[in-house]
Every structure is written in C-alpha cells, then in structure tokens.
Amino acid sequence: MIYGLVFVMAMLVAVATVHTGTVVSHRSVGHVQRDVTSQWMRAYSNAAMAFAQANPGYTGTMTDAQIAPYLGAWQPIAASMTAAGLQHGAEIVGGQLVIWCAGSGASAAAQPAPDVTSPASGYSQGGNLVNPILGNQGPLPPNVPAGATVMRVQA
C-alpha cells in the first residue's frame, strides 16, 4: 500500500513538472564545468598511472604525447583541458606519481575539486599537498603551480 502511495505521489510530481514546464536544477554552470574537468582529471590520472606501470623506473615529467596512448576514448583530453584554459601535468618523483590541474582567471571555475576524503588529494599550497580537511600531506615537485588541484599516488 505504501509503495503505491509513493508511486502515485511521484507520478503527480512528474505530471505537474511536465504540465508547468518547470524543471528545477540546483546545478550551476560552474558545477557542470567542474564535473567535466573532474572527469578529465580522472581519465588523465588513470592514463598517467597506466604509463607509470608500463614504464617502471621512469622518473620525471610525463608529456601529453607519452600519456595519450593510455587514454583510449579520452584521446583528445589534454587538448580539451588546454582549450578550457586549464594547465595540467603528471610527474614521477621519488616513486610518487603527482597529477595536477590548475585554472586561472575565467578557467578557475572549471578547476576540479579534490577528493577531500583522500590524503592523496588536495591543493598545492606553499609547495605542499594540502587537503582541506586532513591538512598538510607533504611536499610536491617544484613545478606544480600554487592552487592546483593535486592527486598523488605511489608509482
């Protein structure tokens, strides 16, 4: 009985929405841009990790050309990030893979947010990886721009 009532209520809300032409969205354009760039960063990070696994002992900065073969369907991602005004990079230093993405000016709204529940994710601040909840998580390579969203994993 309760399931029937819930179903009827849901249908009434759906019909009222269609009838009035009202669609309520709590998502701003900035949130949608951030969601897209978060997906880009995840794909870029996965490709950088695949490159690191395929090239044990590699140290230094990875180029987009080195990462591209591991992107699969996301091949144009680096160009898309650049076109959106986002700087990005991946580097292996001391056995740690550091992936970062930074926006400035108009592109700052599209910069992905870090996973605040992970100590391996945060922002570059004063040369360190700083998680908004967990605090300072240690030093970053010097070429990571201040304010960049950063992920760090064992290479």
Side-chain angles (χ1 to χ4, degrees):
M1 176 72 178
I2 190 78
Y3 296 112
L5 183 58
V6 169
F7 178 74
V8 169
M9 294 286 288
M11 292 305 293
L12 287 173
V13 168
V15 169
T17 300
V18 171
H19 177 67
T20 61
T22 304
V23 177
V24 178
S25 174
H26 299 288
R27 312 272 305 156
S28 69
V29 172
H31 281 104
V32 171
Q33 289 174 329
R34 197 170 286 224
D35 289 347
V36 169
T37 54
S38 291
Q39 291 173 358
W40 287 350
M41 189 166 178
R42 254 191 313 277
Y44 190 79
S45 299
N46 289 338
M49 285 186 261
F51 173 86
Q53 290 173 347
N55 297 280
Y58 182 89
T59 300
T61 302
M62 296 175 205
T63 66
D64 289 345
Q66 289 171 307
I67 294 173
Y70 302 95
L71 285 168
W74 287 83
Q75 282 280 327
I77 190 166
S80 297
M81 291 173 81
T82 301
L86 296 166
Q87 299 174 319
H88 58 278
E91 183 173 353
I92 298 176
V93 177
Q96 297 283 311
L97 171 59
V98 176
I99 301 107
W100 58 270
C101 179
S104 61
S107 67
Q111 181 175 321
D115 175 2
V116 295
T117 63
S118 170
S121 182
Y123 294 105
S124 172
Q125 192 173 54
N128 292 303
L129 172 62
V130 178
N131 180 285
I133 294 175
L134 304 171
N136 189 334
Q137 300 299 304
L140 290 169
N143 64 333
V144 178
T149 300
V150 180
M151 288 179 52
R152 181 172 55 195
V153 294
Q154 188 68 34

